[in-house]
Amino acid sequence: MRFFALNDTADLGAAVARVLQAPLDPHEERDFGDGEHKARPLVSVRGKDVYVMQSLAGGGGASVNDKLCKLLFFLATCRENGAARVTAVVPYLAYARKERQTKARDPVTTRYVAQLFEAVGTKRIVTLDVHNFAAFQNAFRCESIHLDTRRLFVPAIRRMGGQPVTILSPDGGGVKRAQLLKEMLESETGTEARFGFMEKRRSRGVVSGDLFAGDVAGSSVFIVDDMISSGGTMLRAALACRERDANAVHAIAAHGLFGEGSAALFSSPAIDRIIVTDSVAAAARVKVDHPSARLDIVSVGPLIGEAVRRLHSNASMSELLGIED
């Protein structure tokens, strides 16, 4: 087996390599003055089962498009040089928001990105908590592995929650995600949790919707979403919970993108704690830029490492995927 982590995901790659009990395989990345780049493995990949990791969130001096091209070219290079099988390990998969047409002549970028991976000979893609699970599975013709992070958040909820606990989705599209977290929390703790969700409609950049379902009064609320980008959705839901007399409000997301406008999350008294994974490097940068931010980072290195180990050895994936036998 060969396991590579491109430079933009080097820290997480090192965590995965520790689980695999093997060093990262060496590679070279070069950027040219006109913006083009070159990357290549520095060890032979001929006949090998190759895994290449790159998280596709913009930041750190590189755009989403730069990172996507680097990953695609590196995957293609491994195939070009005789790899028996190439797996793309993409903790955060970009362009997953636009999985259907909602306006005339809309793109369906989830499918287009899938076609790009398949075009360069990717045998399998592994990712975490995509925006729309069904759209992800339907977009890819190659094998698609979707790792669920909800088990990683249960210890934090148990530590901070108290009683009662409410799991809340900040929009209708995330109801299933919140329900699954609620069920896992109940299974792990043996105690019942409350549930709620908010209405949210977004059209031409304008967010609307007033429906709030669920009883949050006197409870510790955990708002769960797949990502935090600007933070507006989380903050809107947190304020609604405070208006309804929640004791504490925490925000949970697999991917802490923390783009423009997200600084408001770190200063708002509406949110007691923000919990994300290290699927993208932005969370670590927030720790540096906002040292007083009430932010906890949970590592996905062990989860990804165990997934790679099982895939390479053809072991069962059911437990990691949260699928019953």
Side-chain angles (χ1 to χ4, degrees):
M1 180 177 71
R2 297 292 191 199
F3 180 72
F4 300 95
L6 300 188
N7 291 347
D8 293 314
T9 318
D11 290 342
L12 182 54
V16 173
R18 286 193 292 272
V19 176
L20 297 173
Q21 298 182 332
L24 284 172
D25 284 301
H27 75 288
E28 175 192 27
E29 292 184 42
R30 291 177 56 197
D31 292 319
F32 298 99
D34 61 355
E36 293 185 9
H37 59 83
K38 166 191 169 181
R40 65 184 179 110
L42 295 176
V43 290
S44 174
V45 296
R46 188 164 300 279
K48 301 292 185 180
D49 186 18
V50 176
Y51 297 79
V52 184
M53 189 163 76
Q54 171 82 306
S55 205
L56 299 178
S63 71
V64 173
N65 300 330
D66 289 337
K67 293 179 181 181
L68 177 58
C69 280
K70 284 182 180 180
L71 176 57
L72 292 171
F73 292 167
F74 197 91
L75 294 166
T77 298
C78 292
R79 290 288 295 143
E80 182 79 13
N81 287 279
R85 180 173 64 182
V86 176
T87 298
V89 182
V90 190
Y92 173 70
L93 182 63
Y95 292 113
R97 292 182 181 97
K98 200 59 188 167
E99 82 282 0
R100 60 193 175 94
Q101 290 183 320
T102 55
K103 290 184 172 58
R105 298 170 295 281
D106 262 358
V108 187
T109 50
T110 301
R111 176 158 49 87
Y112 308 155
V113 168
Q115 290 169 339
L116 289 172
F117 277 105
E118 291 156 2
V120 299
T122 306
K123 176 68 174 179
R124 178 198 293 132
I125 184 164
V126 179
T127 192
L128 306 171
D129 279 5
V130 292
H131 190 61
N132 185 316
F133 178 44
F136 165 72
Q137 285 196 317
N138 290 329
F140 283 87
R141 292 175 297 175
C142 67
E143 183 182 358
S144 56
I145 303 294
H146 181 263
L147 300 178
D148 194 310
T149 64
R150 65 183 185 272
R151 182 173 278 110
L152 303 180
F153 294 118
V154 169
I157 297 174
R158 296 181 70 170
R159 185 176 67 252
M160 295 185 293
Q163 287 294 332
V165 167
T166 300
I167 305 298
L168 185 130
S169 173
D171 56 46
V175 165
K176 187 63 177 178
R177 181 183 300 108
Q179 285 177 329
L180 290 172
L181 178 59
K182 173 181 179 291
E183 290 169 7
M184 177 160 288
L185 177 66
E186 291 174 335
S187 174
E188 295 279 332
T189 63
T191 58
E192 187 174 351
R194 299 178 185 176
F195 179 75
F197 69 92
M198 284 188 66
E199 178 189 22
K200 188 187 84 170
R201 297 191 300 274
R202 187 191 301 273
S203 180
R204 304 184 190 278
V206 177
V207 175
S208 61
D210 298 320
L211 175 66
F212 188 103
D215 178 15
V216 299
S219 72
S220 294
V221 182
F222 291 84
I223 307 167
V224 58
D225 210 344
D226 60 315
M227 69 177 78
I228 299 175
S229 183
S230 70
T233 296
M234 282 292 191
L235 193 52
R236 177 175 178 266
L239 291 169
C241 291
R242 292 293 188 184
E243 290 171 359
R244 290 162 176 82
D245 298 323
N247 270 356
V249 179
H250 309 282
I252 291 178
H255 310 294
L257 305 182
F258 298 125
E260 184 177 352
S262 61
L265 281 177
F266 311 132
S267 59
S268 173
I271 296 181
D272 294 284
R273 205 82 192 161
I274 302 166
I275 312 159
V276 298
T277 78
D278 56 354
S279 64
V280 298
R285 291 196 293 270
V286 165
K287 282 285 195 181
V288 175
D289 297 339
H290 303 273
S292 62
R294 300 179 296 276
L295 176 65
D296 293 339
I297 303 174
V298 179
S299 178
V300 293
L303 175 62
I304 296 175
E306 180 62 16
V308 170
R309 186 191 67 79
R310 294 189 186 202
L311 289 169
H312 177 63
S313 60
N314 292 317
S316 172
M317 293 291 293
S318 298
E319 181 184 2
L320 287 184
L321 301 180
I323 299 174
E324 295 183 1
D325 287 330

